[in-house]
Amino acid sequence: MPRAPAGAGSGRQPGPSRCRQPGGVAPSPAAEPQLGIGVTSGRAIRAARQRFAELHLPEPCLWISQAGTEIHTRSPQGPVPDHHWQRHIGRRWSRGAVVTAMAALEPRLRLQDPAQQGPFKVSFLLQELDQGILPVVRQTLQQHHLPARPHLFQHWYLDVLPPTASKTEALRYIALRWQLPLTAILVQASQQGDGELLRGLPCGVVPDDHDPALESLRNHRRVFFASTPQAWGLLEGLDHHRFLRR
């Protein structure tokens, strides 16, 4: 997912993955009629769309926003929310209980602004770099018997989500609904916290300007490390995984 210019708020940038969708897919920059663009982002969809517009790419066929807790698909009237996905991830989820339990971890972290929050996402900002924060958060949630899971992104941003929610699970859900093999989806990721996305799907590409935290994936058979940054790295990945020749 090539990085957009640095944004406001959490600083998370949307990034495209490539998805093959039966019929009506937006043409790709590489002029491949069967390729469509999907975007994953930690932001709300409105903010993600604003940032994506700056890239001047075709309209995505898929939006996975709020760190994987919201899915929208393209329609002539605009992105349409997938309410079935939210019903699925929302079972036994209690946002208020998560907020109350996590208050015990202040001042190591604090709640982000309301614009960064979601119905199924509680977002925090670390006050200092803390690589040991995830086990502490997991223990806190377990002590309160809360079915929730923490995710750390870009070293500073921590989200607590329902246990079945993530960008990876959202893509797997879409593949099932669209009857796509997972090998028909290529994901590009460059930030700390994207390792789960790359490990969870069979076709991945990491651009040259990636976070060093992803170096541990160099020996992963299905993750390709490009020699060029951003969108150029995505084109390398498309060629490497033979998406441009299928």
Side-chain angles (χ1 to χ4, degrees), residues 71-139:
I71 295 175
H72 291 75
T73 52
R74 191 181 62 187
S75 79
Q77 293 75 36
V80 176
D82 190 319
H83 298 297
H84 182 270
W85 171 247
Q86 292 201 320
R87 287 194 297 270
H88 169 68
I89 66 174
R91 295 167 185 163
R92 300 178 58 213
W93 167 253
S94 175
R95 191 182 193 283
V98 169
V99 172
T100 300
M102 293 289 290
L105 299 183
E106 296 178 357
R108 293 177 69 174
L109 44 75
R110 64 172 175 82
L111 279 169
Q112 292 188 48
D113 295 337
Q116 309 305 324
Q117 307 295 335
F120 301 94
K121 177 170 77 87
V122 186
S123 295
F124 299 88
L125 177 67
L126 272 62
Q127 297 304 285
E128 59 183 31
L129 286 178
D130 188 349
Q131 296 302 317
I133 191 65
L134 283 176
V136 174
V137 174
R138 291 190 190 104
Q139 183 179 30

Side-chain angles (χ1 to χ4, degrees), residues 153 167 189-199 214 217:
F153 299 100
K167 297 174 185 176
S190 62
Q191 298 291 344
Q192 181 277 326
D194 285 335
E196 178 184 351
L197 184 62
L198 291 165
R199 287 189 295 268
L214 298 181
L217 294 173

